[in-house]
């Protein structure tokens, strides 16, 4: 974590001026990175035992996230437009005799 703070974090801050970065000590606790978003939500990721490249990936993950809560999509997609082919029916087309 110390090598990330000394070497990688300043470069990350220069490349991402729209991201506010604050470093605060947490004695006797696991290191975390925290993302606070405009919509008021907050995401926290523990970076215990991670290398500086892995911590940078987690920082990119927080930077690229929207802050919205993750939801499972269970409903099928509903379309307002009817399909080009129309609705299928077994009575359409040439009749087949069996």
């Amino acid at each position: 974590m110390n090598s990330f703070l000394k070497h990688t974090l300043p470069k990350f801050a220069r490349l991402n001026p729209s991201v506010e970065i604050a470093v605060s000590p947490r004695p006797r606790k696991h290191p975390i990175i925290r993302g606070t978003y405009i919509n008021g939500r907050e995401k926290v990721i523990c970076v215990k035992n991670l290398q500086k490249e892995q911590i940078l990936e987690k920082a990119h993950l927080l930077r690229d996230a929207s802050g919205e809560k993750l939801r499972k999509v269970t409903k099928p997609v509903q379309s307002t437009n009817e399909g080009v082919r129309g609705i299928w029916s077994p009575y359409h087309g040439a009749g087949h005799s069996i």
Side-chain angles (χ1 to χ4, degrees), residues 18-65:
S18 62
V19 177
E20 179 182 340
I21 297 174
V23 178
S24 58
R26 297 186 57 195
R28 294 177 294 280
K29 292 185 180 178
H30 293 278
I32 62 168
I33 55 176
R34 179 179 313 217
T36 306
Y37 300 93
I38 294 174
N39 62 0
R41 292 201 41 98
E42 191 173 87
K43 289 186 180 183
V44 178
I45 299 177
C46 179
V47 291
K48 175 187 170 189
N49 297 331
L50 296 181
Q51 300 299 321
K52 62 182 180 178
E53 294 84 17
Q54 296 170 318
I55 297 172
L56 184 62
E57 288 177 19
K58 299 295 183 184
H60 283 292
L61 178 78
L62 286 176
R63 179 199 63 191
D64 296 338

